[in-house]
Amino acid sequence: MTLELSHFSAALLFSIFASVVFGITQRNTPREQVRYGLYCFAMFFGGVFLAGWVMWILRR
Amino acid sequence: MANPTLSKPQVSKQPMTTASVVVPLVAWLIPGAGHMMQKRWIRGGLLMFSIVTMFVLGLLMQGHVYHANGGDILDILGFVGDVGSGALYFVTLAKDWGHGAIEHATADYGTKYLIVAGLLNFISVADAYHIAIGKKS
């Protein structure tokens, strides 16, 4: 069985799983963990869009 | 000549307990189990789900699993990342999975997923250890 994800969905899943682990391990209280996890997810996913637009500009 | 008024920096030593040795070992072998052993069920469950799913997705994407090697530095680092997944890595080796399929464009993503799953488990192990020694709640 082979799973073929697009670059976008691979980046989305990567962001979710990495953010969960970062959130749990890098903060103490549940509230802080959720906030930090969401922050990491926003940074990961924001980075994907930013890098995408930078590559689009460079290609022009 | 050394200044006798300057003392060595004080390093606080944690007493070595059974938990401080067993928890990291179990946490490494089974992702999330170190937290579950310490009754952090939700945290352990989320860590286990994230790391195991990432590893399995990496295998399904035909990612390459690195073996112990003394060659190229990137291959060595790849092995270090992969072995972080503990039992998942050893099961993969035993089943002879993870050869990588370069004809699939997503295989390279899979390789990265496998490495990152192991690296995330190393962070999880450190966190479980900190809970075991009372440094974190």
Side-chain angles (χ1 to χ4, degrees), chain A residues 1-5 7 10 13-14 17 20-22 24-28 33, chain B residues 43 46-47 50 53-54 57 60-62 104 106 109 113 116 120 123 127 136:
Chain A
M1 183 182 161
T2 301
L3 182 68
E4 294 214 29
L5 295 176
H7 188 97
L13 288 172
F14 182 98
F17 297 134
V20 168
V21 176
F22 283 173
I24 291 171
T25 57
Q26 304 300 309
R27 291 294 182 271
N28 284 317
Q33 288 172 348
Chain B
R43 287 190 215 178
L46 285 169
L47 288 171
S50 298
T53 307
M54 207 163 178
L57 285 176
L60 290 177
M61 284 191 266
Q62 305 296 316
H104 293 290
T106 54
Y109 301 155
Y113 264 54
V116 172
L120 290 174
I123 299 175
D127 192 57
K136 188 180 174 185

PDB file of all heavy atoms in Angstrom, chain A residues 1-5 7 10 13-14 17 20-22 24-28 33, chain B residues 43 46-47 50 53-54 57 60-62 104 106 109 113 116 120 123 127 136:
ATOM      1  N   MET A   1       0.846  -1.195   0.000  1.00  0.00           N
ATOM      2  CA  MET A   1       0.000   0.000   0.000  1.00  0.00           C
ATOM      3  C   MET A   1       0.882   1.245   0.000  1.00  0.00           C
ATOM      4  O   MET A   1       1.819   1.345   0.777  1.00  0.00           O
ATOM      5  CB  MET A   1      -0.868   0.002   1.258  1.00  0.00           C
ATOM      6  CG  MET A   1      -1.834   1.159   1.326  1.00  0.00           C
ATOM      7  SD  MET A   1      -2.750   1.091   2.880  1.00  0.00           S
ATOM      8  CE  MET A   1      -3.332   2.761   2.971  1.00  0.00           C
ATOM      9  N   THR A   2       0.571   2.140  -0.916  1.00  0.00           N
ATOM     10  CA  THR A   2       1.360   3.364  -1.010  1.00  0.00           C
ATOM     11  C   THR A   2       0.462   4.575  -0.838  1.00  0.00           C
ATOM     12  O   THR A   2      -0.612   4.647  -1.435  1.00  0.00           O
ATOM     13  CB  THR A   2       2.054   3.445  -2.386  1.00  0.00           C
ATOM     14  OG1 THR A   2       2.886   2.298  -2.528  1.00  0.00           O
ATOM     15  CG2 THR A   2       2.905   4.696  -2.482  1.00  0.00           C
ATOM     16  N   LEU A   3       0.895   5.470  -0.012  1.00  0.00           N
ATOM     17  CA  LEU A   3       0.145   6.702   0.231  1.00  0.00           C
ATOM     18  C   LEU A   3       0.854   7.831  -0.505  1.00  0.00           C
ATOM     19  O   LEU A   3       2.053   8.032  -0.327  1.00  0.00           O
ATOM     20  CB  LEU A   3       0.117   6.982   1.736  1.00  0.00           C
ATOM     21  CG  LEU A   3      -0.656   8.197   2.209  1.00  0.00           C
ATOM     22  CD1 LEU A   3      -2.146   7.986   1.988  1.00  0.00           C
ATOM     23  CD2 LEU A   3      -0.387   8.430   3.683  1.00  0.00           C
ATOM     24  N   GLU A   4       0.111   8.519  -1.366  1.00  0.00           N
ATOM     25  CA  GLU A   4       0.719   9.634  -2.096  1.00  0.00           C
ATOM     26  C   GLU A   4       0.037  10.927  -1.685  1.00  0.00           C
ATOM     27  O   GLU A   4      -1.048  11.238  -2.177  1.00  0.00           O
ATOM     28  CB  GLU A   4       0.600   9.396  -3.601  1.00  0.00           C
ATOM     29  CG  GLU A   4       1.413   8.193  -4.041  1.00  0.00           C
ATOM     30  CD  GLU A   4       2.012   8.347  -5.424  1.00  0.00           C
ATOM     31  OE1 GLU A   4       2.299   9.490  -5.833  1.00  0.00           O
ATOM     32  OE2 GLU A   4       2.169   7.327  -6.097  1.00  0.00           O
ATOM     33  N   LEU A   5       0.651  11.641  -0.805  1.00  0.00           N
ATOM     34  CA  LEU A   5       0.105  12.918  -0.355  1.00  0.00           C
ATOM     35  C   LEU A   5       0.665  14.037  -1.214  1.00  0.00           C
ATOM     36  O   LEU A   5       1.785  13.949  -1.721  1.00  0.00           O
ATOM     37  CB  LEU A   5       0.508  13.175   1.099  1.00  0.00           C
ATOM     38  CG  LEU A   5      -0.034  12.234   2.177  1.00  0.00           C
ATOM     39  CD1 LEU A   5       0.562  12.598   3.523  1.00  0.00           C
ATOM     40  CD2 LEU A   5      -1.542  12.309   2.240  1.00  0.00           C
ATOM     41  N   HIS A   7       2.159  17.872  -1.614  1.00  0.00           N
ATOM     42  CA  HIS A   7       3.096  18.609  -0.762  1.00  0.00           C
ATOM     43  C   HIS A   7       2.329  19.369   0.316  1.00  0.00           C
ATOM     44  O   HIS A   7       2.746  19.408   1.477  1.00  0.00           O
ATOM     45  CB  HIS A   7       3.904  19.588  -1.607  1.00  0.00           C
ATOM     46  CG  HIS A   7       5.010  20.244  -0.849  1.00  0.00           C
ATOM     47  ND1 HIS A   7       6.305  19.795  -0.892  1.00  0.00           N
ATOM     48  CD2 HIS A   7       5.004  21.288   0.002  1.00  0.00           C
ATOM     49  CE1 HIS A   7       7.055  20.543  -0.105  1.00  0.00           C
ATOM     50  NE2 HIS A   7       6.290  21.465   0.447  1.00  0.00           N
ATOM     51  N   ALA A  10       0.956  16.963   3.000  1.00  0.00           N
ATOM     52  CA  ALA A  10       2.081  16.455   3.796  1.00  0.00           C
ATOM     53  C   ALA A  10       2.534  17.524   4.792  1.00  0.00           C
ATOM     54  O   ALA A  10       2.798  17.234   5.959  1.00  0.00           O
ATOM     55  CB  ALA A  10       3.236  16.054   2.885  1.00  0.00           C
ATOM     56  N   LEU A  13      -0.182  17.849   7.653  1.00  0.00           N
ATOM     57  CA  LEU A  13      -0.092  16.784   8.659  1.00  0.00           C
ATOM     58  C   LEU A  13       1.166  16.942   9.511  1.00  0.00           C
ATOM     59  O   LEU A  13       1.132  16.773  10.728  1.00  0.00           O
ATOM     60  CB  LEU A  13      -0.094  15.418   7.974  1.00  0.00           C
ATOM     61  CG  LEU A  13      -1.427  14.989   7.377  1.00  0.00           C
ATOM     62  CD1 LEU A  13      -1.251  13.709   6.564  1.00  0.00           C
ATOM     63  CD2 LEU A  13      -2.458  14.752   8.478  1.00  0.00           C
ATOM     64  N   PHE A  14       2.259  17.272   8.851  1.00  0.00           N
ATOM     65  CA  PHE A  14       3.517  17.487   9.586  1.00  0.00           C
ATOM     66  C   PHE A  14       3.319  18.577  10.640  1.00  0.00           C
ATOM     67  O   PHE A  14       3.715  18.428  11.800  1.00  0.00           O
ATOM     68  CB  PHE A  14       4.606  17.899   8.590  1.00  0.00           C
ATOM     69  CG  PHE A  14       5.966  18.106   9.204  1.00  0.00           C
ATOM     70  CD1 PHE A  14       6.919  17.103   9.151  1.00  0.00           C
ATOM     71  CD2 PHE A  14       6.293  19.296   9.840  1.00  0.00           C
ATOM     72  CE1 PHE A  14       8.170  17.289   9.715  1.00  0.00           C
ATOM     73  CE2 PHE A  14       7.542  19.485  10.409  1.00  0.00           C
ATOM     74  CZ  PHE A  14       8.478  18.474  10.348  1.00  0.00           C
ATOM     75  N   PHE A  17       1.128  17.283  13.709  1.00  0.00           N
ATOM     76  CA  PHE A  17       1.792  16.347  14.631  1.00  0.00           C
ATOM     77  C   PHE A  17       2.946  17.014  15.381  1.00  0.00           C
ATOM     78  O   PHE A  17       3.106  16.820  16.591  1.00  0.00           O
ATOM     79  CB  PHE A  17       2.289  15.111  13.874  1.00  0.00           C
ATOM     80  CG  PHE A  17       1.187  14.310  13.250  1.00  0.00           C
ATOM     81  CD1 PHE A  17       1.268  13.855  11.945  1.00  0.00           C
ATOM     82  CD2 PHE A  17       0.035  14.010  13.975  1.00  0.00           C
ATOM     83  CE1 PHE A  17       0.250  13.119  11.373  1.00  0.00           C
ATOM     84  CE2 PHE A  17      -0.997  13.273  13.414  1.00  0.00           C
ATOM     85  CZ  PHE A  17      -0.891  12.835  12.111  1.00  0.00           C
ATOM     86  N   VAL A  20       1.546  19.352  18.100  1.00  0.00           N
ATOM     87  CA  VAL A  20       1.027  18.629  19.274  1.00  0.00           C
ATOM     88  C   VAL A  20       2.190  18.286  20.220  1.00  0.00           C
ATOM     89  O   VAL A  20       2.136  18.538  21.428  1.00  0.00           O
ATOM     90  CB  VAL A  20       0.282  17.343  18.843  1.00  0.00           C
ATOM     91  CG1 VAL A  20       0.009  16.445  20.041  1.00  0.00           C
ATOM     92  CG2 VAL A  20      -1.023  17.693  18.153  1.00  0.00           C
ATOM     93  N   VAL A  21       3.267  17.729  19.644  1.00  0.00           N
ATOM     94  CA  VAL A  21       4.406  17.322  20.483  1.00  0.00           C
ATOM     95  C   VAL A  21       5.073  18.549  21.099  1.00  0.00           C
ATOM     96  O   VAL A  21       5.389  18.563  22.302  1.00  0.00           O
ATOM     97  CB  VAL A  21       5.415  16.486  19.660  1.00  0.00           C
ATOM     98  CG1 VAL A  21       6.630  16.143  20.503  1.00  0.00           C
ATOM     99  CG2 VAL A  21       4.762  15.215  19.158  1.00  0.00           C
ATOM    100  N   PHE A  22       5.283  19.595  20.314  1.00  0.00           N
ATOM    101  CA  PHE A  22       5.910  20.811  20.857  1.00  0.00           C
ATOM    102  C   PHE A  22       5.058  21.403  21.974  1.00  0.00           C
ATOM    103  O   PHE A  22       5.571  21.813  23.007  1.00  0.00           O
ATOM    104  CB  PHE A  22       6.118  21.851  19.759  1.00  0.00           C
ATOM    105  CG  PHE A  22       7.287  21.568  18.853  1.00  0.00           C
ATOM    106  CD1 PHE A  22       7.508  22.338  17.724  1.00  0.00           C
ATOM    107  CD2 PHE A  22       8.166  20.537  19.115  1.00  0.00           C
ATOM    108  CE1 PHE A  22       8.583  22.079  16.878  1.00  0.00           C
ATOM    109  CE2 PHE A  22       9.243  20.258  18.280  1.00  0.00           C
ATOM    110  CZ  PHE A  22       9.447  21.042  17.148  1.00  0.00           C
ATOM    111  N   ILE A  24       2.878  19.988  24.006  1.00  0.00           N
ATOM    112  CA  ILE A  24       2.872  19.181  25.233  1.00  0.00           C
ATOM    113  C   ILE A  24       4.214  19.243  25.959  1.00  0.00           C
ATOM    114  O   ILE A  24       4.260  19.332  27.184  1.00  0.00           O
ATOM    115  CB  ILE A  24       2.513  17.714  24.901  1.00  0.00           C
ATOM    116  CG1 ILE A  24       1.049  17.622  24.473  1.00  0.00           C
ATOM    117  CG2 ILE A  24       2.758  16.800  26.093  1.00  0.00           C
ATOM    118  CD1 ILE A  24       0.649  16.279  23.912  1.00  0.00           C
ATOM    119  N   THR A  25       5.293  19.198  25.190  1.00  0.00           N
ATOM    120  CA  THR A  25       6.600  19.062  25.833  1.00  0.00           C
ATOM    121  C   THR A  25       7.231  20.393  26.249  1.00  0.00           C
ATOM    122  O   THR A  25       8.092  20.403  27.122  1.00  0.00           O
ATOM    123  CB  THR A  25       7.593  18.326  24.905  1.00  0.00           C
ATOM    124  OG1 THR A  25       7.676  19.036  23.666  1.00  0.00           O
ATOM    125  CG2 THR A  25       7.140  16.905  24.636  1.00  0.00           C
ATOM    126  N   GLN A  26       6.823  21.479  25.641  1.00  0.00           N
ATOM    127  CA  GLN A  26       7.529  22.727  25.908  1.00  0.00           C
ATOM    128  C   GLN A  26       6.830  23.647  26.912  1.00  0.00           C
ATOM    129  O   GLN A  26       7.362  24.697  27.253  1.00  0.00           O
ATOM    130  CB  GLN A  26       7.756  23.505  24.598  1.00  0.00           C
ATOM    131  CG  GLN A  26       8.498  22.730  23.531  1.00  0.00           C
ATOM    132  CD  GLN A  26       9.878  22.293  23.989  1.00  0.00           C
ATOM    133  OE1 GLN A  26      10.663  23.094  24.476  1.00  0.00           O
ATOM    134  NE2 GLN A  26      10.183  21.010  23.850  1.00  0.00           N
ATOM    135  N   ARG A  27       5.640  23.281  27.345  1.00  0.00           N
ATOM    136  CA  ARG A  27       4.918  24.116  28.315  1.00  0.00           C
ATOM    137  C   ARG A  27       4.385  23.250  29.454  1.00  0.00           C
ATOM    138  O   ARG A  27       4.295  22.036  29.321  1.00  0.00           O
ATOM    139  CB  ARG A  27       3.751  24.851  27.624  1.00  0.00           C
ATOM    140  CG  ARG A  27       4.191  25.933  26.638  1.00  0.00           C
ATOM    141  CD  ARG A  27       4.882  27.089  27.350  1.00  0.00           C
ATOM    142  NE  ARG A  27       5.265  28.170  26.442  1.00  0.00           N
ATOM    143  CZ  ARG A  27       6.416  28.241  25.804  1.00  0.00           C
ATOM    144  NH1 ARG A  27       7.310  27.278  25.945  1.00  0.00           N
ATOM    145  NH2 ARG A  27       6.689  29.263  25.015  1.00  0.00           N
ATOM    146  N   ASN A  28       4.013  23.895  30.554  1.00  0.00           N
ATOM    147  CA  ASN A  28       3.617  23.147  31.751  1.00  0.00           C
ATOM    148  C   ASN A  28       2.116  22.930  31.895  1.00  0.00           C
ATOM    149  O   ASN A  28       1.661  21.803  32.033  1.00  0.00           O
ATOM    150  CB  ASN A  28       4.151  23.856  32.999  1.00  0.00           C
ATOM    151  CG  ASN A  28       5.631  23.615  33.181  1.00  0.00           C
ATOM    152  OD1 ASN A  28       6.107  22.507  33.016  1.00  0.00           O
ATOM    153  ND2 ASN A  28       6.374  24.666  33.471  1.00  0.00           N
ATOM    154  N   GLN A  33      -0.102  24.788  27.068  1.00  0.00           N
ATOM    155  CA  GLN A  33       0.243  23.792  26.049  1.00  0.00           C
ATOM    156  C   GLN A  33      -0.610  23.967  24.798  1.00  0.00           C
ATOM    157  O   GLN A  33      -0.104  23.904  23.676  1.00  0.00           O
ATOM    158  CB  GLN A  33       0.051  22.384  26.629  1.00  0.00           C
ATOM    159  CG  GLN A  33       1.106  22.029  27.652  1.00  0.00           C
ATOM    160  CD  GLN A  33       0.845  20.730  28.373  1.00  0.00           C
ATOM    161  OE1 GLN A  33      -0.243  20.170  28.281  1.00  0.00           O
ATOM    162  NE2 GLN A  33       1.820  20.250  29.103  1.00  0.00           N
TER     163      GLN A  33
ATOM    164  N   ARG B  43      -1.818  13.436  27.773  1.00  0.00           N
ATOM    165  CA  ARG B  43      -0.560  13.841  27.129  1.00  0.00           C
ATOM    166  C   ARG B  43       0.112  12.652  26.447  1.00  0.00           C
ATOM    167  O   ARG B  43       0.560  12.741  25.305  1.00  0.00           O
ATOM    168  CB  ARG B  43       0.416  14.388  28.182  1.00  0.00           C
ATOM    169  CG  ARG B  43       0.056  15.738  28.713  1.00  0.00           C
ATOM    170  CD  ARG B  43       1.218  16.243  29.539  1.00  0.00           C
ATOM    171  NE  ARG B  43       0.758  17.026  30.678  1.00  0.00           N
ATOM    172  CZ  ARG B  43       1.552  17.554  31.577  1.00  0.00           C
ATOM    173  NH1 ARG B  43       2.856  17.377  31.504  1.00  0.00           N
ATOM    174  NH2 ARG B  43       1.080  18.273  32.566  1.00  0.00           N
ATOM    175  N   LEU B  46      -1.801  11.588  23.312  1.00  0.00           N
ATOM    176  CA  LEU B  46      -1.596  12.505  22.182  1.00  0.00           C
ATOM    177  C   LEU B  46      -0.197  12.347  21.587  1.00  0.00           C
ATOM    178  O   LEU B  46      -0.029  12.361  20.355  1.00  0.00           O
ATOM    179  CB  LEU B  46      -1.804  13.956  22.635  1.00  0.00           C
ATOM    180  CG  LEU B  46      -3.250  14.397  22.848  1.00  0.00           C
ATOM    181  CD1 LEU B  46      -3.302  15.748  23.541  1.00  0.00           C
ATOM    182  CD2 LEU B  46      -3.980  14.472  21.513  1.00  0.00           C
ATOM    183  N   LEU B  47       0.795  12.182  22.463  1.00  0.00           N
ATOM    184  CA  LEU B  47       2.168  11.985  21.967  1.00  0.00           C
ATOM    185  C   LEU B  47       2.268  10.682  21.181  1.00  0.00           C
ATOM    186  O   LEU B  47       2.863  10.638  20.095  1.00  0.00           O
ATOM    187  CB  LEU B  47       3.157  11.970  23.133  1.00  0.00           C
ATOM    188  CG  LEU B  47       3.419  13.316  23.812  1.00  0.00           C
ATOM    189  CD1 LEU B  47       4.231  13.123  25.083  1.00  0.00           C
ATOM    190  CD2 LEU B  47       4.131  14.274  22.883  1.00  0.00           C
ATOM    191  N   SER B  50       0.470  11.057  17.803  1.00  0.00           N
ATOM    192  CA  SER B  50       1.205  11.907  16.857  1.00  0.00           C
ATOM    193  C   SER B  50       2.435  11.204  16.307  1.00  0.00           C
ATOM    194  O   SER B  50       2.664  11.190  15.087  1.00  0.00           O
ATOM    195  CB  SER B  50       1.643  13.210  17.548  1.00  0.00           C
ATOM    196  OG  SER B  50       0.528  13.926  17.972  1.00  0.00           O
ATOM    197  N   THR B  53       1.546   7.823  14.352  1.00  0.00           N
ATOM    198  CA  THR B  53       0.907   8.133  13.062  1.00  0.00           C
ATOM    199  C   THR B  53       1.922   8.700  12.080  1.00  0.00           C
ATOM    200  O   THR B  53       1.921   8.329  10.899  1.00  0.00           O
ATOM    201  CB  THR B  53      -0.245   9.139  13.265  1.00  0.00           C
ATOM    202  OG1 THR B  53      -1.129   8.648  14.258  1.00  0.00           O
ATOM    203  CG2 THR B  53      -1.012   9.362  11.981  1.00  0.00           C
ATOM    204  N   MET B  54       2.781   9.576  12.580  1.00  0.00           N
ATOM    205  CA  MET B  54       3.784  10.157  11.687  1.00  0.00           C
ATOM    206  C   MET B  54       4.716   9.077  11.136  1.00  0.00           C
ATOM    207  O   MET B  54       5.058   9.071   9.950  1.00  0.00           O
ATOM    208  CB  MET B  54       4.583  11.199  12.470  1.00  0.00           C
ATOM    209  CG  MET B  54       5.154  12.278  11.619  1.00  0.00           C
ATOM    210  SD  MET B  54       5.616  13.669  12.594  1.00  0.00           S
ATOM    211  CE  MET B  54       6.265  14.666  11.288  1.00  0.00           C
ATOM    212  N   LEU B  57       2.735   6.910   8.611  1.00  0.00           N
ATOM    213  CA  LEU B  57       2.553   7.653   7.358  1.00  0.00           C
ATOM    214  C   LEU B  57       3.848   7.687   6.551  1.00  0.00           C
ATOM    215  O   LEU B  57       3.839   7.566   5.326  1.00  0.00           O
ATOM    216  CB  LEU B  57       2.085   9.085   7.647  1.00  0.00           C
ATOM    217  CG  LEU B  57       0.621   9.257   8.069  1.00  0.00           C
ATOM    218  CD1 LEU B  57       0.336  10.711   8.407  1.00  0.00           C
ATOM    219  CD2 LEU B  57      -0.327   8.792   6.971  1.00  0.00           C
ATOM    220  N   LEU B  60       4.122   4.408   4.887  1.00  0.00           N
ATOM    221  CA  LEU B  60       3.144   4.287   3.795  1.00  0.00           C
ATOM    222  C   LEU B  60       3.533   5.147   2.588  1.00  0.00           C
ATOM    223  O   LEU B  60       3.169   4.836   1.460  1.00  0.00           O
ATOM    224  CB  LEU B  60       1.748   4.681   4.288  1.00  0.00           C
ATOM    225  CG  LEU B  60       1.087   3.716   5.270  1.00  0.00           C
ATOM    226  CD1 LEU B  60      -0.256   4.253   5.730  1.00  0.00           C
ATOM    227  CD2 LEU B  60       0.917   2.343   4.641  1.00  0.00           C
ATOM    228  N   MET B  61       4.252   6.223   2.849  1.00  0.00           N
ATOM    229  CA  MET B  61       4.707   7.069   1.737  1.00  0.00           C
ATOM    230  C   MET B  61       5.982   6.511   1.102  1.00  0.00           C
ATOM    231  O   MET B  61       6.631   7.181   0.319  1.00  0.00           O
ATOM    232  CB  MET B  61       4.943   8.502   2.233  1.00  0.00           C
ATOM    233  CG  MET B  61       3.671   9.280   2.438  1.00  0.00           C
ATOM    234  SD  MET B  61       4.016  11.027   2.716  1.00  0.00           S
ATOM    235  CE  MET B  61       4.053  11.093   4.467  1.00  0.00           C
ATOM    236  N   GLN B  62       6.340   5.275   1.495  1.00  0.00           N
ATOM    237  CA  GLN B  62       7.533   4.584   0.963  1.00  0.00           C
ATOM    238  C   GLN B  62       8.819   5.307   1.328  1.00  0.00           C
ATOM    239  O   GLN B  62       9.767   5.378   0.538  1.00  0.00           O
ATOM    240  CB  GLN B  62       7.444   4.438  -0.571  1.00  0.00           C
ATOM    241  CG  GLN B  62       6.188   3.754  -1.067  1.00  0.00           C
ATOM    242  CD  GLN B  62       6.091   2.311  -0.615  1.00  0.00           C
ATOM    243  OE1 GLN B  62       7.071   1.589  -0.668  1.00  0.00           O
ATOM    244  NE2 GLN B  62       4.929   1.918  -0.135  1.00  0.00           N
ATOM    245  N   HIS B 104       8.369   7.058  -6.465  1.00  0.00           N
ATOM    246  CA  HIS B 104       7.273   7.837  -5.889  1.00  0.00           C
ATOM    247  C   HIS B 104       7.807   9.200  -5.462  1.00  0.00           C
ATOM    248  O   HIS B 104       8.780   9.280  -4.707  1.00  0.00           O
ATOM    249  CB  HIS B 104       6.678   7.132  -4.672  1.00  0.00           C
ATOM    250  CG  HIS B 104       5.972   5.860  -5.021  1.00  0.00           C
ATOM    251  ND1 HIS B 104       4.787   5.840  -5.711  1.00  0.00           N
ATOM    252  CD2 HIS B 104       6.289   4.569  -4.779  1.00  0.00           C
ATOM    253  CE1 HIS B 104       4.413   4.586  -5.889  1.00  0.00           C
ATOM    254  NE2 HIS B 104       5.304   3.800  -5.343  1.00  0.00           N
ATOM    255  N   THR B 106       6.512  11.150  -3.446  1.00  0.00           N
ATOM    256  CA  THR B 106       6.282  11.407  -2.022  1.00  0.00           C
ATOM    257  C   THR B 106       7.215  10.607  -1.111  1.00  0.00           C
ATOM    258  O   THR B 106       7.169  10.777   0.103  1.00  0.00           O
ATOM    259  CB  THR B 106       4.830  11.063  -1.650  1.00  0.00           C
ATOM    260  OG1 THR B 106       4.558   9.732  -2.064  1.00  0.00           O
ATOM    261  CG2 THR B 106       3.849  12.017  -2.272  1.00  0.00           C
ATOM    262  N   TYR B 109       9.241  12.702   1.184  1.00  0.00           N
ATOM    263  CA  TYR B 109       8.470  13.206   2.335  1.00  0.00           C
ATOM    264  C   TYR B 109       8.411  12.123   3.400  1.00  0.00           C
ATOM    265  O   TYR B 109       8.526  12.398   4.595  1.00  0.00           O
ATOM    266  CB  TYR B 109       7.028  13.557   1.956  1.00  0.00           C
ATOM    267  CG  TYR B 109       6.840  14.591   0.874  1.00  0.00           C
ATOM    268  CD1 TYR B 109       5.673  14.606   0.113  1.00  0.00           C
ATOM    269  CD2 TYR B 109       7.785  15.564   0.631  1.00  0.00           C
ATOM    270  CE1 TYR B 109       5.468  15.553  -0.869  1.00  0.00           C
ATOM    271  CE2 TYR B 109       7.600  16.515  -0.359  1.00  0.00           C
ATOM    272  CZ  TYR B 109       6.432  16.498  -1.109  1.00  0.00           C
ATOM    273  OH  TYR B 109       6.236  17.420  -2.079  1.00  0.00           O
ATOM    274  N   TYR B 113       9.396  12.242   7.283  1.00  0.00           N
ATOM    275  CA  TYR B 113       8.410  11.915   8.332  1.00  0.00           C
ATOM    276  C   TYR B 113       9.006  10.907   9.329  1.00  0.00           C
ATOM    277  O   TYR B 113       8.841  11.046  10.534  1.00  0.00           O
ATOM    278  CB  TYR B 113       7.149  11.312   7.703  1.00  0.00           C
ATOM    279  CG  TYR B 113       6.025  12.283   7.449  1.00  0.00           C
ATOM    280  CD1 TYR B 113       6.224  13.447   6.722  1.00  0.00           C
ATOM    281  CD2 TYR B 113       4.750  12.032   7.936  1.00  0.00           C
ATOM    282  CE1 TYR B 113       5.184  14.327   6.488  1.00  0.00           C
ATOM    283  CE2 TYR B 113       3.699  12.908   7.707  1.00  0.00           C
ATOM    284  CZ  TYR B 113       3.921  14.052   6.977  1.00  0.00           C
ATOM    285  OH  TYR B 113       2.893  14.921   6.750  1.00  0.00           O
ATOM    286  N   VAL B 116      11.685  12.675  11.475  1.00  0.00           N
ATOM    287  CA  VAL B 116      11.112  13.648  12.408  1.00  0.00           C
ATOM    288  C   VAL B 116      10.309  12.944  13.509  1.00  0.00           C
ATOM    289  O   VAL B 116      10.329  13.383  14.656  1.00  0.00           O
ATOM    290  CB  VAL B 116      10.272  14.701  11.657  1.00  0.00           C
ATOM    291  CG1 VAL B 116       9.522  15.596  12.624  1.00  0.00           C
ATOM    292  CG2 VAL B 116      11.168  15.541  10.766  1.00  0.00           C
ATOM    293  N   LEU B 120      11.027  13.775  17.309  1.00  0.00           N
ATOM    294  CA  LEU B 120       9.963  14.218  18.218  1.00  0.00           C
ATOM    295  C   LEU B 120       9.883  13.281  19.427  1.00  0.00           C
ATOM    296  O   LEU B 120       9.610  13.722  20.544  1.00  0.00           O
ATOM    297  CB  LEU B 120       8.611  14.263  17.497  1.00  0.00           C
ATOM    298  CG  LEU B 120       8.445  15.368  16.448  1.00  0.00           C
ATOM    299  CD1 LEU B 120       7.113  15.203  15.719  1.00  0.00           C
ATOM    300  CD2 LEU B 120       8.517  16.743  17.072  1.00  0.00           C
ATOM    301  N   ILE B 123      12.347  14.305  22.028  1.00  0.00           N
ATOM    302  CA  ILE B 123      11.836  15.421  22.841  1.00  0.00           C
ATOM    303  C   ILE B 123      10.852  14.889  23.883  1.00  0.00           C
ATOM    304  O   ILE B 123      10.864  15.302  25.042  1.00  0.00           O
ATOM    305  CB  ILE B 123      11.154  16.480  21.939  1.00  0.00           C
ATOM    306  CG1 ILE B 123      12.144  17.047  20.937  1.00  0.00           C
ATOM    307  CG2 ILE B 123      10.588  17.614  22.777  1.00  0.00           C
ATOM    308  CD1 ILE B 123      11.515  18.007  19.933  1.00  0.00           C
ATOM    309  N   ASP B 127      10.987  15.064  28.001  1.00  0.00           N
ATOM    310  CA  ASP B 127       9.865  15.592  28.787  1.00  0.00           C
ATOM    311  C   ASP B 127       9.434  14.587  29.859  1.00  0.00           C
ATOM    312  O   ASP B 127       9.206  14.962  31.019  1.00  0.00           O
ATOM    313  CB  ASP B 127       8.702  15.924  27.856  1.00  0.00           C
ATOM    314  CG  ASP B 127       7.632  16.736  28.553  1.00  0.00           C
ATOM    315  OD1 ASP B 127       7.952  17.813  29.079  1.00  0.00           O
ATOM    316  OD2 ASP B 127       6.477  16.282  28.582  1.00  0.00           O
ATOM    317  N   LYS B 136       9.251  18.997  36.130  1.00  0.00           N
ATOM    318  CA  LYS B 136       8.049  19.467  35.439  1.00  0.00           C
ATOM    319  C   LYS B 136       6.841  18.751  36.039  1.00  0.00           C
ATOM    320  O   LYS B 136       6.949  17.595  36.452  1.00  0.00           O
ATOM    321  CB  LYS B 136       8.170  19.150  33.941  1.00  0.00           C
ATOM    322  CG  LYS B 136       7.078  19.757  33.097  1.00  0.00           C
ATOM    323  CD  LYS B 136       7.250  19.423  31.630  1.00  0.00           C
ATOM    324  CE  LYS B 136       6.056  19.917  30.845  1.00  0.00           C
ATOM    325  NZ  LYS B 136       6.111  19.516  29.452  1.00  0.00           N
TER     326      LYS B 136
END
